[in-house]
Amino acid sequence: MVNHGKVQAAGAERRLQELGITLPPPPTPFGAYVEATRTGNLIFFSGMLPVVGHKPRYIGRVGGALTLEEGRKAAETATLSALSAARDYLGSLDSVVRVVKLGVYIATEGDFRDHPRVADGASELLLAVFGEEKLSGRVVLGVASLPLGMPVEIEFVIEVED
């Protein structure tokens, strides 16, 4: 689990190192699409799933087969994939000006109500890596299903330096 104490003024790459976070290999598409596309200073990333090496780390719905804590970890894993994709695309996370948008989609059982707590697995990781000044607002939605039976998919848009 990530230590979410006060973030010091440092680059994202240094924060990763200080937090002891090793990013997984960059994700590769599961279909006919690209992982990232840029327009101007914005980079839009395809939906990121909780996978490492093209293998799912979590399968099932939160509030059913998976606990809230497993859902949080799945959100964190998907965010690690997003950070890895961003680093692969940019060469370094230090050129990120800010996270513009975070969308967290959670496959849940019908009576599940703790969506924000699951999404915090993604938001808290981004806070730890980029700091509060670069954090975005977010959208959190519960859905009936997600690709390949995974519990979480995140949408990630960042602004980068010219």
Side-chain angles (χ1 to χ4, degrees), residues 103-159:
V104 183
Y105 305 91
I106 308 162
T108 65
E109 292 298 323
D111 60 349
F112 186 78
R113 302 283 184 263
D114 285 327
H115 300 74
R117 290 177 60 199
V118 171
D120 281 345
S123 295
E124 290 173 4
L125 176 58
L126 293 174
L127 174 63
V129 172
F130 293 116
E132 189 173 346
E133 68 280 358
K134 293 184 180 183
L135 201 58
S136 72
R138 72 178 186 199
V139 174
V140 180
L141 297 171
V143 298
S145 68
L146 288 167
L148 308 171
M150 288 187 237
V152 175
E153 183 171 0
I154 69 161
E155 177 182 8
F156 185 63
V157 179
I158 58 174
E159 179 184 359

Side-chain angles (χ1 to χ4, degrees), residues 7-81:
V7 176
Q8 300 298 318
E13 293 291 340
R14 185 165 143 213
R15 285 188 185 124
L16 284 172
Q17 190 174 37
E18 290 171 353
L19 293 165
I21 296 172
T22 301
L23 295 180
T28 56
F30 281 93
Y33 60 91
V34 295
E35 291 293 344
T37 187
R38 182 175 178 161
T39 182
N41 287 5
L42 298 179
I43 301 174
F44 295 78
F45 291 88
S46 294
M48 295 291 161
L49 300 165
V51 299
V52 176
H54 223 64
K55 294 181 182 157
R57 292 290 183 193
Y58 298 89
I59 298 287
R61 292 183 184 170
V62 180
L66 300 175
T67 66
L68 181 140
E69 186 57 33
E70 289 169 319
R72 284 178 56 89
K73 289 180 190 270
E76 187 174 293
T77 300
T79 305
L80 289 169
S81 287

